[in-house]
Amino acid sequence: GFIFLIRDTESNIIAAIDIKSAEDEAEVGYWISSEYPGIMTNAVKKLIEVARNVGYKKLWATTKLENLKSQNVLKRAGFTDLGDVERKSKQRRKFEIIL
C-alpha cells in the first residue's frame, strides 16, 4: 500500500490519502483538515493516476451515509456509486473505479 501526506506552504500536514493494500483491487481512504477545503478531489485524481501506473486494477472506497462531501469527492474523481452496503456492522455508501 501507499500513504501520501499533503502539506501546506509551511510544511504542516493538512491531509492524508492512502491505498490500503498491495492487491490488484484496493481500498482508498483520505482525510483533510476543515481549514483546507477544495483540494481533495485533485488529490484523489492523482492517487488514481499513481495506482494505475503501478498496476492496480480497481480502487474502492466507502463513506458514512451522511458524508455527502466525501461522496462528492469520489464522484468528481470518477468513482461509480454502488449504493449502500454493510461494513463492520454499519451502513456505508460504496464507490469504485476500474483502472
Side-chain angles (χ1 to χ4, degrees):
F2 299 89
I3 300 172
F4 299 96
L5 302 176
I6 301 169
R7 298 179 179 268
D8 65 12
T9 56
E10 297 173 1
S11 295
N12 298 308
I13 297 170
I14 60 168
I17 188 167
D18 67 337
I19 299 175
K20 297 179 184 275
S21 78
E23 304 296 323
D24 287 357
E25 300 179 7
E27 181 179 13
V28 299
Y30 50 86
W31 67 264
I32 186 165
S33 167
S34 61
E35 298 175 25
Y36 294 88
I39 66 169
M40 193 49 71
T41 298
N42 286 336
V44 172
K45 287 179 178 180
K46 187 54 112 175
L47 186 75
I48 291 167
E49 183 182 319
V50 169
R52 185 178 290 122
N53 288 340
V54 298
Y56 284 91
K57 303 296 182 211
K58 178 168 65 172
L59 299 176
W60 59 276
T62 64
T63 69
K64 293 179 180 178
L65 296 180
E66 67 275 8
N67 192 344
L68 300 179
K69 288 183 179 183
S70 189
Q71 292 171 21
N72 288 332
V73 164
L74 293 166
K75 289 175 188 176
R76 286 191 301 268
F79 281 71
T80 300
D81 184 343
L82 300 179
D84 296 350
V85 297
E86 187 172 321
R87 180 147 192 249
K88 298 181 182 178
S89 301
K90 295 180 182 178
Q91 285 297 108
R92 308 278 289 178
R93 178 68 57 127
K94 186 172 183 178
F95 296 81
E96 75 173 17
I97 188 166
I98 307 299
L99 305 178

